[in-house]
């Protein structure tokens, strides 16, 4: 059974993983350790500043999820491959949350969720899916999510990437950009 996902740039993602097909929400609900099992990573060398040891070891990590192989995250800022792997996993979860759209659902996470909580990406995903579904109209999205427009804007402004995506898409639709 093929599962087809639509990304924000209207590319189709297909997966033929018959044994372990998960929805985006199920994938993002996993702990970081469980999520890692759904990913494939590759160590890499990186160039740039960092001293004499920078290019002698493969401490950088390039990682992708088996369900969404075209979405890749890279982490190279730490000298430890283990630390870079953890950072890359977190970045990949966030990219999946913001770049893959599925039909929206109601908020299942509290509005005051910490960015360090592993369910934060699920929260971002819910906001992103609802915004895309309602074409970035704040009032309609807030009504759907059963929160006020002010609460929605505050939630969007808490994440710089979601804020940027929202204002870019609003501009494309000739809507006024949001102000903090």
């Amino acid at each position: 059974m093929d599962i087809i996902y639509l990304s924000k740039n209207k590319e189709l993602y297909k997966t033929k993983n018959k044994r372990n097909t998960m929805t985006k929400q199920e994938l993002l609900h996993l702990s970081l350790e469980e999520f890692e099992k759904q990913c494939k990573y590759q160590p890499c060398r990186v160039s740039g500043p960092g001293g004499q040891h920078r290019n002698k070891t493969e401490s950088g990590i390039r990682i992708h999820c088996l369900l969404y192989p075209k979405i890749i995250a890279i982490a190279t800022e730490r000298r430890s491959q283990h630390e870079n792997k953890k950072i890359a996993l977190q970045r990949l979860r966030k990219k999946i949350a913001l770049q893959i759209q599925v039909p929206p659902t109601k908020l299942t996470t509290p509005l005051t969720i910490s960015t360090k909580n592993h369910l934060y990406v699920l929260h971002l995903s819910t906001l992103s899916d609802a915004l895309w579904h309602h074409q970035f109209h704040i009032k309609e999205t807030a009504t759907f999510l059963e929160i006020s427009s002010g609460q929605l804007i505050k939630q969007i402004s808490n994440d710089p990437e979601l804020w940027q995506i929202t204002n870019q898409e609003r501009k494309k639709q000739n809507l006024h950009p949001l102000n903090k």
Side-chain angles (χ1 to χ4, degrees), residues 102-120:
V102 296
T105 59
K106 303 286 185 190
L107 279 173
T108 58
T109 54
L111 285 178
T112 57
I113 191 166
S114 167
T115 57
K116 295 181 190 217
N117 187 321
H118 82 279
L119 295 178
Y120 177 72

Side-chain angles (χ1 to χ4, degrees), residues 165-176:
I165 290 169
T166 300
N167 277 329
Q168 286 173 350
E169 293 302 318
R170 286 178 63 83
K171 185 177 181 180
K172 287 179 188 176
Q173 296 179 28
N174 294 321
L175 298 170
H176 295 292

Side-chain angles (χ1 to χ4, degrees), residues 31-32 45 56 62 64 66 69 74 91 113-114 116 127 130 136 138 154 156 168 172:
S31 69
L32 207 55
R45 289 186 184 182
K56 292 186 178 181
R62 178 179 293 118
H64 72 272
L66 298 174
I74 299 172
R91 286 183 184 157
I113 191 166
S114 167
K116 295 181 190 217
L127 294 174
F136 293 88
I138 297 300
K154 184 176 180 183
I156 296 168
Q168 286 173 350
K172 287 179 188 176

Side-chain angles (χ1 to χ4, degrees), residues 6 9 17 38 73 97 136 148 151 170 177:
L6 186 62
N9 56 359
N17 190 350
Q38 303 297 321
F136 293 88
S148 71
Q151 287 174 319
R170 286 178 63 83

Side-chain angles (χ1 to χ4, degrees), residues 7 9 11-14 63-73 92 95-96 99-100:
S7 73
N9 56 359
E11 286 185 52
L12 292 179
Y13 289 87
K14 278 188 172 183
I63 193 165
H64 72 272
C65 179
L66 298 174
L67 287 175
Y68 306 105
K70 291 186 178 183
I71 298 179
I72 298 169
L92 182 62
K95 278 186 168 189
I96 290 170
Q99 291 183 8
I100 303 294

Side-chain angles (χ1 to χ4, degrees), residues 25 101-106 125-134 144-145:
Q25 281 77 13
Q101 278 68 55
V102 296
T105 59
K106 303 286 185 190
S125 174
T126 302
L127 294 174
S128 176
D129 292 341
L131 284 162
W132 280 98
H133 182 76
H134 296 285
F144 173 78
L145 294 172

Side-chain angles (χ1 to χ4, degrees), residues 134-151:
H134 296 285
Q135 300 175 341
F136 293 88
H137 290 275
I138 297 300
K139 186 176 181 180
E140 293 172 17
T141 305
T143 301
F144 173 78
L145 294 172
E146 299 175 350
I147 59 176
S148 71
S149 296
Q151 287 174 319

